[in-house]
Amino acid sequence: MNIFNRVLLIVLALALLVTAVAVMVVTLGWLDPAQAAPSGWFRERLDAFAGLRAADQRWTVVVCLALVLLGLLLVYVEVRPPPPGERRLLLKEDGLGRVTVAREGVQQLARREAGRVSGVMEVRAKVQNQHDGRRILGRLSVDPDVDLPALSQEVQERIKDAVEHHLGRPVTTVKLDTQLAPLDSRRVR
Amino acid sequence: MSDLLLARVIAAAIRSVPGVSDVSTRIFTGAATYGPGGAVRGIAIRRIAAALDLDVHLIARYTATATLPDVAAAVRRSIQQAVAGVDAGPVRRIDVMIDDLDMG
């Protein structure tokens, strides 16, 4: 999700939270609509929840609680930082500290190496961390005239050599899916 | 020496390393050193019992020869020399974060 969508979702989730809490406190009679709402328009909407019958009140509170939980969950999911392992690869750790590289940088390197092989039209690559090294998954769109097995092998070797050389860590697997059609927008799995 | 001035010295030391394209100034790294009259993004300085703990974010330059651990080692050496040169105290830790590769 890009940053704009993420910010939009956070704003909507916060609006949902504020609205649900306001409706709940008015429904329970903890605050008057005039106290809970800063604006006239919102106050008029809240008026409808003041003085509900007991059964309606119960249902309103249950729905509000569910919306509050949903809002909290959405905010949590969007604002929590991804675990460091998701974004960065550890290259070295010694007495002086850690050396890490952004996963995207390594993926860019893999894409560059694959793209330099003649006959490769498009490349997607994803790097995964494993206990004994890195695993690289990729998808290639290739020229129909090329020798597919030879090209796949060359790309695999180039990616493996480049990533191992630049990271100084072993690459255990390079798995490539090759196709003649242009790559669609699906991510590498 | 102020942290801001020290961060500028460290940034210059990082940029002087051949395998480095630049200090990474991406706002989402969260690393920055602030002071009167400015800020240096990409470098965070913590002083712990008179020693320095540093977080440095950089963009490495892609070359066919240099490996990223080699670049990081050169960055650490360059920072240690620069910090010693301004007598800013012992360096206890340098975490090097390579945020991107400049493919040129």
Side-chain angles (χ1 to χ4, degrees), chain A residues 94 96 98 100 102 113 165-166, chain B residues 63 67-68 94-96 98:
Chain A
D94 56 20
L96 198 51
R98 293 161 63 94
T100 59
E113 287 303 319
H165 171 71
H166 283 91
Chain B
T63 64
T67 71
L68 295 178
I94 306 174
D95 286 327
V96 178
I98 300 165

Side-chain angles (χ1 to χ4, degrees), chain B:
Chain B
M1 171 178 270
S2 72
D3 281 357
L4 181 62
L5 198 52
L6 179 59
R8 286 181 177 146
V9 168
I10 291 169
I14 294 170
R15 289 190 182 104
S16 72
V17 174
V20 172
S21 176
D22 203 351
V23 174
S24 173
T25 55
R26 293 175 177 181
I27 198 161
F28 295 111
T29 63
T33 302
Y34 298 94
V40 177
R41 291 200 183 282
I43 294 167
I45 298 171
R46 292 182 300 281
R47 291 180 188 272
I48 297 169
L52 298 171
D53 280 9
L54 309 172
D55 288 349
V56 299
H57 290 255
L58 59 91
I59 299 168
R61 180 176 291 122
Y62 174 87
T63 64
T65 51
T67 71
L68 295 178
D70 291 344
V71 171
V75 164
R76 283 171 159 182
R77 278 195 302 274
S78 179
I79 290 172
Q80 284 174 317
Q81 286 169 4
V83 171
V86 295
D87 201 17
V91 177
R92 197 183 69 161
R93 186 179 175 96
I94 306 174
D95 286 327
V96 178
M97 281 151 273
I98 300 165
D99 287 346
D100 205 352
L101 292 180
D102 178 1
M103 297 291 183

Side-chain angles (χ1 to χ4, degrees), chain A residues 18-90:
Chain A
V18 169
T19 306
V21 169
V23 169
M24 195 163 66
V25 296
V26 168
T27 303
L28 292 170
W30 294 348
L31 289 177
D32 292 332
Q35 292 173 299
S39 74
W41 181 88
F42 194 33
R43 190 160 53 237
E44 285 172 22
R45 309 280 87 76
L46 288 179
D47 279 339
F49 295 95
L52 288 177
R53 288 179 301 153
D56 294 338
Q57 209 178 46
R58 237 186 340 265
W59 275 112
T60 305
V61 170
V62 168
V63 171
C64 285
L65 281 175
L67 292 176
V68 166
L69 288 176
L70 177 66
L72 287 174
L73 185 68
L74 285 173
V75 171
Y76 170 74
V77 166
E78 292 306 320
V79 302
R80 81 187 160 112
E86 282 183 20
R87 288 178 303 161
R88 311 195 71 88
L89 302 172
L90 179 67

